[in-house]
Amino acid sequence: MNEPGFSIRVRGQVQGVGFRPFVWSLARARGLRGLVLNDPEGVLVLVAGPLEDFARALRDQAPPLARVDAVEVAPHVFKTAPEGFVIAESRGQGAETRVTPDAATCPACREEVFAPGRRQGYAFTNCTHCGPRFTILTGLPYDRAKTTMAPFALCPDCAAEYADPADRRFHAQPVACPACGPRLWYEGEAAAGRPLAQAAGVLRAGGVVAVKGLGGFHLACDAGNPAAVALLRGRKRRPAKPFALMGTLPMLEVLAHLTDADRTLLADPAAPVVLVAGRAPLPEGVAPGMRQLGVMLPYTPLHHLLLAEFDGVLVMTSGNLSGEPQVIGNEEAREKLSAFADGFLMHDRQIARRLDDGVERADPPMVIRRARGRVPGTLPLPPGFEAAPQVLAFGGQMKAAICLTKNGQAMLSHHLGDLDDALTAEEYARTLHDCAALFDHRPTVAACDLHPGFRATQAAEASGLPVTRVQHHHAHLAACLGENLWPLDGGKVAGIILDGLGLGPDGTVWGGEVLLGNYRGVERRAMLTPAPLPGGDRAQAEPWRNALMRLDQAGHADWADALFPDAPRDQIRRMAAAGLNAPLSSSAGRLFDAVAAMLGLCPMRQSYEGEAAMRLEALAAEAPDDGSSYDLPLIGQELDPAPIWPQIQADLRRGVPVARIAWRFHAGLAHGFARVARRLVEGGEAAAIALSGGCFQNGLLLTLTAGALKDLPVLTHRTTPANDGGLALGQALVAASRHIDAAEAG
């Protein structure tokens, strides 16, 4: 007998988050009949009975990890009148719905791990509100058979939980217990005992332990032991780049000045590394030259148990040789990490894909490295992009990431690394195939950078797709606009784009620009006065080269000679004069390097990308805001830093603290660019101002620039990286806008 009812389609991040049992409970409480199931488009609900507020409750009362994009209600006719309300089997193949990122251990599971019961001490405890997702997923729809938990057959107790809609483990695909799930063991020389006790003993003795986590291995050591930190640095060949720390909240409160915003971000299910203000003394080797620490809470039961056993803060850094991809497999770990680690804390659940820890800041809010816990969460495309094709954007060379657009959403991938490294390039190629297969992505357009030497550009050109090449800084601007849902026809904005290097359409190297435009196109309205980059890439690694060029350019060659007496100055000057491997550049990143070198901050060589600029920011943050700044005048279309150098030299002669000098440089740069952008808005040419590019990872620069524009509409990055990790999003939007325009014109 036919019976009228309703079909309710729920789209978004609604699989693997307990959404079906939530619907089941909601329907039963209202006396509704029907069913709920997963399919490639999300969750489908067929219901008989009066809806009243049921559809609204699906959005408003959704489970913690759910992200509901749409609830679509349509009439439905039941051929057979349903009895009760049931959860039906998943249907179909394909990927039209979102995949849930990995989520940190929830309070209920954390309590269970430390309380008497069958999961006490079990390192793989999870439920529908927490645990691995993307790192174990092998296909969609999200069911246990399509995860790396498939080899672990459920025991009767776990099977009963899995089958009970009233249980928080209903259809929690990674559900397990000691009787049926993954197991933990320790490899290496250690006293006999439990694996966690063995690992903690090695850590207390000053050793290094490789720990298998969610998205790969970490290398752990005692953060309070200078010898252990130095040992890890020496083995990993990482002389100065800051290490991340893991501790419980009470432990971290001792080490850092945590704000409420810091605590909220630390406790987020994404569990990122959060940059916070340090306060307690730690070995200098933890974060050389930095005032901020990168800290995170334990985000798996294994981490909780290890910290409890060790009873202290641990360095927890990626398990890899610096610059290479993180290790994920057991055999791979034994092969590649044996030279670094004194032992291994292993388990037998496979990791489906590498995911580094994310890095974020709470104030000002920003994502520096988009990774585990955030990916593969999607971003809605702005208004006007409804007709956007499926685009595959290939990103850039540094901080590589790709972006896929489909069904009004953009999926910006996790951080993959720098494609100069051959192993990272292999991982990048795997990710292209992995994402295409997992998300059933069939792009019709490719987007990439202008630079022909980028491996990402070469991959786009080899894809067989029509390629849209997008200028580097235009992509940065578009990424910021897209994150802020700036409409396709929302008008032009003034973009302050400050970063390291990007090929300009004129063949020079850009990096310090004020652009006027939108997704469709941009024009450069102002730039830093260009200076040579002698040695090309060498100028990125050796800050003194940039200082030499800037000082020579401004007529202060004698000061450069005094600052860098042992450097091959004459050779570099000849190279620059002849234009031999010395391209002109307006790079703001290299300007930071120049100032850092003048102040004696790693002048001869950086041990990692951005070290000089990060140390300069840390130094500036020691000076209170007194409103002072250096002058960065606009001459024609060029913001000329030449007047800054005699101001710095005079301050040094007067004995002004170098922290104050670093502050005044930051303030001068912020105010100089802000004045130009302000004129474009006040003159009616721009409707808002967007701040993008890797230099805006610098919290002080971002705060000062936004402060100088506080009475104007300012767009910033909050959920996507301002650095090259967000480049692919901008490329995808520019390519999509051109496709939409071409389709409308044709």
Side-chain angles (χ1 to χ4, degrees), residues 553-685:
Q553 187 181 60
H556 299 286
D558 55 340
W559 188 24
D561 291 339
L563 284 172
F564 314 113
D566 299 324
R569 303 182 310 282
D570 292 342
Q571 175 187 341
I572 296 303
R573 283 166 171 151
R574 287 194 298 270
M575 180 186 299
L580 179 63
N581 193 22
L584 287 175
S585 174
S586 59
S587 169
R590 301 295 77 80
L591 188 67
F592 270 92
D593 291 348
V595 175
M598 292 175 200
L599 299 183
L601 302 176
C602 52
M604 303 315 294
R605 187 166 188 85
Q606 303 187 77
S607 68
Y608 60 92
E609 187 208 359
E611 179 181 8
M614 289 172 64
R615 286 178 178 254
L616 190 66
E617 178 191 2
L619 185 63
E622 296 176 7
D625 184 359
D626 65 354
S628 63
S629 68
Y630 294 134
D631 185 31
L632 186 67
L634 181 67
I635 302 172
Q637 283 197 325
E638 294 184 2
L639 284 157
D640 188 2
I644 293 177
W645 315 137
Q647 295 174 73
I648 289 178
Q649 194 171 37
D651 277 350
L652 287 170
R653 287 171 177 164
R654 288 197 303 268
V656 173
V658 288
R660 171 61 54 209
I661 294 171
W663 171 278
R664 288 174 177 169
F665 167 70
H666 278 78
L669 193 67
H671 294 156
F673 275 93
R675 280 194 297 270
V676 178
R678 174 180 289 279
R679 289 173 193 164
L680 292 174
V681 174
E682 292 178 345
E685 293 188 80

Side-chain angles (χ1 to χ4, degrees), residues 299-648:
Y299 56 83
T300 71
L302 172 57
H303 293 134
H304 283 284
L305 291 164
L306 179 60
L307 282 175
E309 192 78 39
F310 177 70
D311 194 25
V313 177
L314 293 173
V315 165
M316 199 69 77
T317 190
S318 296
N320 61 338
L321 183 63
S322 201
E324 292 186 359
Q326 191 175 18
V327 167
I328 62 172
N330 291 352
E331 279 303 319
E332 184 188 16
R334 295 181 185 107
E335 175 188 347
K336 293 189 174 182
L337 302 183
S338 291
F340 306 158
D342 299 297
F344 298 82
L345 197 54
M346 299 277 213
H347 61 75
D348 56 356
R349 184 178 67 204
Q350 286 189 329
I351 298 171
R353 57 188 55 80
R354 290 177 172 85
L355 282 182
D356 287 300
D357 294 317
V359 180
E360 304 184 14
R361 180 182 273 135
D363 185 21
M366 66 175 71
V367 172
I368 295 170
R369 185 166 70 197
R370 179 176 164 87
R372 176 197 48 75
R374 299 294 183 202
V375 179
T378 62
L379 306 160
L381 297 182
F385 283 88
E386 291 78 10
Q390 290 193 26
V391 179
L392 173 57
F394 286 75
Q397 185 79 353
M398 308 290 284
K399 299 176 177 61
I402 65 172
C403 184
L404 290 63
T405 65
K406 182 179 179 181
N407 296 339
Q409 299 282 326
M411 198 289 285
L412 179 63
S413 82
H414 50 291
H415 166 86
L416 294 166
D418 297 342
L419 298 184
D420 288 332
D421 177 76
L423 293 176
T424 301
E426 290 177 10
E427 184 67 17
Y428 175 86
R430 278 193 291 270
T431 300
L432 287 170
H433 292 293
D434 177 40
C435 289
L438 191 60
F439 299 102
D440 193 21
H441 194 243
R442 296 184 172 88
T444 57
V445 179
C448 66
D449 196 86
L450 286 183
H451 200 301
F454 284 3
R455 281 179 164 166
T457 301
Q458 293 161 5
E461 291 170 342
S463 68
L465 296 168
V467 177
T468 298
R469 292 167 181 80
V470 183
Q471 198 276 325
H472 194 89
H473 301 90
H474 185 192
H476 274 308
L477 173 64
C480 187
L481 294 181
E483 177 183 330
N484 287 276
L485 297 178
W486 189 262
L488 177 59
D489 294 318
K492 293 182 178 181
V493 301
I496 301 177
I497 315 298
L498 307 180
D499 74 348
L501 304 172
L503 181 63
D506 58 358
T508 66
V509 181
W510 291 15
E513 273 70 43
V514 178
L515 303 179
L516 178 65
N518 51 28
Y519 303 107
R520 294 182 170 101
V522 293
E523 56 182 304
R524 183 159 69 165
R525 285 301 189 87
M527 61 180 175
L528 280 173
T529 298
L533 292 178
D537 290 343
R538 290 284 294 276
Q540 296 185 64
E542 300 177 12
W544 71 271
R545 293 176 181 244
N546 301 289
L548 181 73
M549 291 296 98
R550 285 294 180 182
L551 290 173
D552 280 9
Q553 187 181 60
H556 299 286
D558 55 340
W559 188 24
D561 291 339
L563 284 172
F564 314 113
D566 299 324
R569 303 182 310 282
D570 292 342
Q571 175 187 341
I572 296 303
R573 283 166 171 151
R574 287 194 298 270
M575 180 186 299
L580 179 63
N581 193 22
L584 287 175
S585 174
S586 59
S587 169
R590 301 295 77 80
L591 188 67
F592 270 92
D593 291 348
V595 175
M598 292 175 200
L599 299 183
L601 302 176
C602 52
M604 303 315 294
R605 187 166 188 85
Q606 303 187 77
S607 68
Y608 60 92
E609 187 208 359
E611 179 181 8
M614 289 172 64
R615 286 178 178 254
L616 190 66
E617 178 191 2
L619 185 63
E622 296 176 7
D625 184 359
D626 65 354
S628 63
S629 68
Y630 294 134
D631 185 31
L632 186 67
L634 181 67
I635 302 172
Q637 283 197 325
E638 294 184 2
L639 284 157
D640 188 2
I644 293 177
W645 315 137
Q647 295 174 73
I648 289 178

Side-chain angles (χ1 to χ4, degrees), residues 107-251:
C109 285
R110 183 174 65 245
E111 181 178 346
E112 191 174 10
V113 165
F114 288 104
R118 68 190 185 92
R119 289 193 176 89
Q120 184 175 19
Y122 187 54
F124 307 96
T125 300
N126 62 83
C127 69
T128 54
H129 305 307
C130 67
R133 298 291 194 276
F134 192 45
T135 52
I136 63 170
L137 185 68
T138 58
L140 288 174
Y142 176 65
D143 284 315
R144 191 180 182 96
K146 293 183 178 180
T147 72
T148 60
M149 286 299 296
F152 301 97
L154 292 170
C155 68
D157 288 336
C158 286
E161 294 171 330
Y162 184 86
D164 182 1
D167 194 285
R168 81 175 197 273
R169 292 193 166 91
F170 176 76
H171 280 229
Q173 307 308 336
V175 65
C177 75
C180 64
R183 67 183 185 90
L184 187 71
W185 70 88
Y186 182 83
E187 293 181 11
E189 292 185 13
R194 296 174 296 106
L196 288 161
Q198 290 177 296
V202 172
L203 293 167
R204 278 192 290 269
V208 176
V209 175
V211 181
K212 189 175 183 181
L214 276 184
F217 277 80
H218 286 111
L219 292 170
C221 74
D222 181 355
N225 183 336
V229 174
L231 176 69
L232 178 55
R233 283 208 177 278
R235 288 178 176 178
K236 192 169 170 158
R237 303 179 204 168
R238 183 169 164 173
K241 192 173 183 179
F243 282 141
L245 304 176
M246 180 179 282
T248 63
L249 189 59
M251 293 175 187

